[in-house]
């Protein structure tokens, strides 16, 4: 049996914040603002995983009013989500993530993002796809005010 999940997340940018996507820090002087490290791509991925196994969303599991998640490393939160997926008897078939941002440019960092995610998801890198696009200077991402991400996952039932 297969299950499919979709996740979406968005964060505004803030000067002086670390800029982290899929566990990779991008050397710029701004980053997504949020309660945790605000890794928008991983947040979308976690929502997709949780949705695929009908376990709600990241707000249910990691509420932004809980101080233990203040500045949390989203890759560690992803480890916990993967434990929940495994408890439900599923494994990752493949993952496809789209980061929507006018800035920063992400192409040079995507191989490291894929490597990080593959290790955390316990799959080979050829099952993880990360891509980045702009919105041609339209909307809040296009104006550089923030960033958004979509993630789609396919899970397969463990034998």
């Amino acid at each position: 049996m297969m299950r499919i999940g979709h996740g979406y997340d968005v964060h505004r940018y803030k000067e002086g914040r670390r800029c982290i996507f899929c566990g990779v820090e991008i050397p710029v002087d701004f980053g997504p603002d949020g309660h945790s490290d605000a890794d928008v791509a991983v947040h979308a991925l976690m929502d997709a995983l949780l949705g695929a196994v009908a376990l709600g969303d990241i707000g249910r599991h990691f509420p932004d009013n809980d101080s233990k998640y203040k500045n949390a490393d989203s890759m560690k939160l992803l480890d916990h989500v993967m434990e929940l997926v495994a408890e439900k008897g599923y494994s990752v078939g493949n993952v496809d993530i789209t980061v929507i941002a006018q800035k920063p440019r992400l192409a040079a960092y995507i191989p490291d993002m894929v490597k990080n995610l593959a290790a955390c998801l316990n799959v080979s890198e050829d099952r993880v796809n990360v891509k980045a696009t702009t919105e041609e200077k339209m909307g809040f991402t296009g104006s550089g005010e923030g960033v958004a991400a979509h993630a789609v996952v396919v899970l397969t039932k463990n034998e």
Side-chain angles (χ1 to χ4, degrees):
M1 178 181 193
M2 282 190 327
R3 297 189 95 163
I4 299 169
H6 173 263
Y8 173 77
D9 196 35
V10 60
H11 288 277
R12 73 178 62 246
Y13 283 138
K14 183 177 179 181
E15 294 293 320
R17 286 277 299 186
R18 292 173 65 205
C19 189
I20 301 171
F21 296 102
C22 303
V24 176
E25 187 162 357
I26 312 301
V28 292
D29 59 358
F30 62 90
D33 193 21
H35 186 68
S36 68
D37 65 6
D39 188 332
V40 66
V42 172
H43 292 186
L45 175 57
M46 288 189 292
D47 268 348
L49 290 162
L50 291 166
V53 292
L55 288 176
D57 62 17
I58 62 174
R60 176 174 153 193
H61 294 271
F62 314 110
D64 64 4
N65 59 0
D66 188 332
S67 62
K68 73 178 172 183
Y69 300 117
K70 181 72 174 157
N71 297 316
D73 179 341
S74 293
M75 293 298 288
K76 289 183 179 169
L77 301 180
L78 179 57
D79 284 336
H80 177 71
V81 168
M82 286 304 297
E83 289 172 9
L84 297 173
V85 169
E87 286 172 12
K88 287 285 200 167
Y90 286 87
S91 298
V92 171
N94 73 298
V95 171
D96 188 24
I97 297 172
T98 304
V99 178
I100 305 159
Q102 196 68 36
K103 63 179 185 177
R105 293 293 202 190
L106 299 176
Y109 303 98
I110 288 175
D112 287 335
M113 293 179 197
V114 169
K115 180 180 265 187
N116 284 351
L117 291 175
C120 193
L121 300 173
N122 198 30
V123 297
S124 59
E125 291 179 26
D126 67 348
R127 292 189 187 189
V128 177
N129 190 58
V130 177
K131 54 195 178 289
T133 190
T134 69
E135 288 191 308
E136 301 296 327
K137 299 187 179 181
M138 297 183 294
F140 78 93
T141 61
S143 69
E145 292 176 66
V147 58
H150 289 271
V152 177
V153 302
V154 173
L155 300 181
T156 57
K157 187 75 172 165
N158 296 335
E159 299 285 324

